[in-house]
Amino acid sequence: MIDFTEEQLERYSRHILLDDVGVAGQEKLLQAKVIIVGAGGLGSPAALYLAAAGVGTIGIVDSDVVEVSNLQRQIAHFSADIGAAKVESAAAKMQAINPDVEVRTYREYLCAANIRKILAGYDFVIDGTDNFPTKFLVNDACVFLNIPFSHGGILRFNGQTMTVVPGQTACYRCSFRSPPPPDAVPSCAQAGVLGAVAGMLGTIQAAEALKHITGAGELLTNTLLTFDARTMAFRRIRLKKQESCPLCGPHPVITELADVERTVCTVQ
Amino acid sequence: MQITVNGETEELQEPAVNLSRLLELRRVESPEMVAVQLNGEFVDMTNYPTTFLQAGDDVDFLYFMGGGSS
Amino acid sequence: MKTAIRADVFQDLKGVGCPMNLVKTKVAFAKMESGQILGLILDNGPPINNVPRSVIREGHEILSQEQLADGTWSVLIRKA
Ligand SMILES: [Zn+2]
């Protein structure tokens, strides 16, 4: 058992008090490794909450720099960070919240060539990417590497999320199959998004990571949770692992990782 | 004929409604941004015209949502 | 007969308020075997009103609870 310092006991007291987390759960968090893909709208709140929770090793992947238009929703980045690498900006805030945490930064654009190497060894992946090709790539890599992950997407006032336990529960491709045609996709810049919606969704994703690590509760698997912040209507859509899934079904046609042309949100 | 669309009961006024027509009736602007699930099973877009709804069917439109990072 | 019970682990939580007294109790239990006995000293007021109740909710058994001359409480708990 870890010998918690007095400061750690105080810092994690609200976790230790929870029957479903407790001392054992906090130990698991301190030993866990979670990687967040995208240090933006979803990745920011996820990164801050995971750091605060004492997740021992947190990886964060993003190739972009902070721009003023990010600040309306990407709460890990401050005005003074404009021009800085997003991964460095996020890492600084995570360390400032909790020096117990080791942050590993990957200032790279995820692609078929590097994703296995980057994700391998992590216990859980949070997808906070901004485009469909990368979302499908993260799904495929997690299925191949057998790493549970949280899918997340936001648009305008809406959010959606599901948790995937590869081999056991529906994957993203079970329901969504392949990226939509690029010309049909409204670009993030054109569509807009309510800043707090990013926080709502990224925070749900962080909670899923914490639940997976501690074993508390039930994961959001085989379920797509969607919400519309205009009415605050939340809906759970039952999903199931599909026999016809081209990736995780019994007759897969996708057997290796491949890049799909990056098309969405390339203009900031 | 009654079906369920996105968790809500809906009365279809026309006979022989297929999934393509249902997307029109529901004013889905870009069907390419929706995945359709019928009674829990994924339906490929190429099969929409030949998939006719029956009383009691449960249809979900799953919207592609991409944003997150930049 | 209470003098016959000996605590395997003892924690003096005098001056330790809520909820850190419960946090420290949980940490003590985490290091103990099932059936072992934890002895606690708890302040009068919220600590004695809350800690035993939380401990019972988690399935442990309160063996005795006795107020001492200085107003604090001595509590013996068997770990579930
Ligand atoms: Zn699948």
Side-chain angles (χ1 to χ4, degrees):
Chain A
M1 183 184 147
I2 297 174
D3 273 316
F4 289 98
T5 64
E6 282 292 309
E7 197 209 283
Q8 284 180 315
L9 286 183
E10 294 228 20
R11 180 184 289 275
Y12 305 121
S13 58
R14 270 48 174 187
H15 275 164
I16 293 170
L17 287 166
L18 288 172
D19 291 350
D20 289 343
V21 178
V23 177
Q26 189 60 50
E27 282 183 12
K28 288 179 189 165
L29 291 172
L30 286 164
Q31 286 157 0
K33 295 177 173 181
V34 176
I35 188 162
I36 301 163
V37 183
L42 304 179
S44 285
L48 299 182
Y49 272 109
L50 294 183
V55 171
T57 306
I58 305 173
I60 187 151
V61 191
D62 203 307
S63 61
D64 289 343
V65 296
V66 178
E67 298 183 19
V68 69
S69 64
N70 302 150
L71 304 180
Q72 164 257 15
R73 66 201 173 283
Q74 302 183 17
I75 52 160
H77 312 304
F78 302 166
S79 297
D81 300 315
I82 291 167
K86 282 188 181 178
V87 289
E88 298 305 332
S89 163
K93 311 318 181 327
M94 293 157 76
Q95 300 286 194
I97 290 174
N98 189 350
D100 283 351
V101 171
E102 182 194 336
V103 182
R104 296 185 185 161
T105 57
Y106 304 85
R107 193 178 173 186
E108 290 175 62
Y109 190 77
L110 269 192
C111 60
N114 64 12
I115 189 167
R116 272 178 186 269
K117 212 176 118 220
I118 291 173
L119 301 190
Y122 283 96
D123 304 314
F124 194 87
V125 176
I126 290 182
D127 158 41
T129 60
D130 59 354
N131 67 91
F132 292 109
T134 313
K135 284 191 189 304
F136 280 87
L137 185 65
V138 168
N139 179 72
D140 297 357
C142 286
V143 168
F144 287 139
L145 293 167
N146 201 23
I147 305 174
F149 75 99
S150 168
H151 153 80
I154 50 173
L155 189 66
R156 302 188 181 98
F157 287 82
N158 299 279
Q160 71 173 209
T161 178
M162 70 186 280
T163 300
V164 176
V165 179
Q168 295 175 40
T169 70
C171 82
Y172 186 54
R173 279 196 196 265
C174 281
S175 301
F176 290 95
R177 295 301 146 112
S178 55
D183 53 2
V185 178
S187 87
C188 299
Q190 279 171 19
V193 62
L194 189 73
V197 164
M200 291 169 67
L201 200 87
T203 305
I204 292 173
Q205 294 185 281
E208 287 291 290
L210 299 180
K211 283 163 57 190
H212 169 72
I213 296 161
T214 59
E218 286 168 38
L219 295 174
L220 188 64
T221 49
N222 289 327
T223 306
L224 185 70
L225 178 71
T226 67
F227 64 83
D228 183 341
R230 284 172 301 192
T231 54
M232 281 301 166
F234 280 67
R235 182 162 176 251
R236 297 169 69 98
I237 303 167
R238 290 296 297 167
L239 306 176
K240 63 176 191 187
K241 209 164 170 298
Q242 301 279 332
E243 291 271 307
S244 57
C245 178
L247 180 71
C248 78
H251 309 291
V253 293
I254 299 164
T255 52
E256 57 186 38
L257 295 172
D259 284 316
V260 186
E261 200 182 331
R262 190 195 186 198
T263 43
V264 185
C265 288
T266 44
V267 182
Q268 298 252 324
Chain B
M1 183 178 85
Q2 268 195 354
I3 61 166
T4 305
V5 181
N6 296 336
E8 285 171 13
T9 309
E10 174 155 335
E11 185 71 37
L12 290 180
Q13 308 295 341
E14 307 172 8
V17 174
N18 60 18
L19 284 177
S20 313
R21 179 68 183 138
L22 183 67
L23 285 160
E24 283 172 21
L25 290 170
R26 296 290 300 214
R27 295 192 176 79
V28 174
E29 281 172 31
S30 42
E32 303 91 347
M33 294 304 292
V34 176
V36 175
Q37 189 172 275
L38 172 61
N39 301 322
E41 302 288 338
F42 173 85
V43 183
D44 193 274
M45 191 179 269
T46 56
N47 294 328
Y48 291 174
T50 54
T51 306
F52 288 89
L53 295 163
Q54 317 273 318
D57 274 349
D58 191 352
V59 183
D60 283 305
F61 297 149
L62 311 180
Y63 285 83
F64 277 92
M65 258 178 235
S69 189
S70 42
Chain C
M1 288 302 288
K2 58 183 174 273
T3 48
I5 308 171
R6 274 183 61 95
D8 297 293
V9 177
F10 177 78
Q11 269 209 322
D12 184 353
L13 298 176
K14 212 180 293 176
V16 182
C18 299
M20 284 309 291
N21 44 23
L22 182 57
V23 169
K24 292 193 170 186
T25 301
K26 291 182 77 149
V27 171
F29 276 132
K31 292 177 181 167
M32 292 167 61
E33 306 283 330
S34 173
Q36 283 192 306
I37 293 165
L38 175 65
L40 296 179
I41 300 292
L42 292 170
D43 283 340
N44 197 23
I48 190 61
N49 290 333
N50 287 289
V51 173
R53 203 168 50 192
S54 302
V55 159
I56 290 167
R57 193 170 51 89
E58 285 178 40
H60 308 296
E61 183 191 355
I62 307 288
L63 300 175
S64 72
Q65 185 167 313
E66 175 193 359
Q67 193 162 25
L68 306 176
D70 65 354
T72 62
W73 291 77
S74 169
V75 183
L76 288 175
I77 311 158
R78 193 197 307 275
K79 183 181 171 175

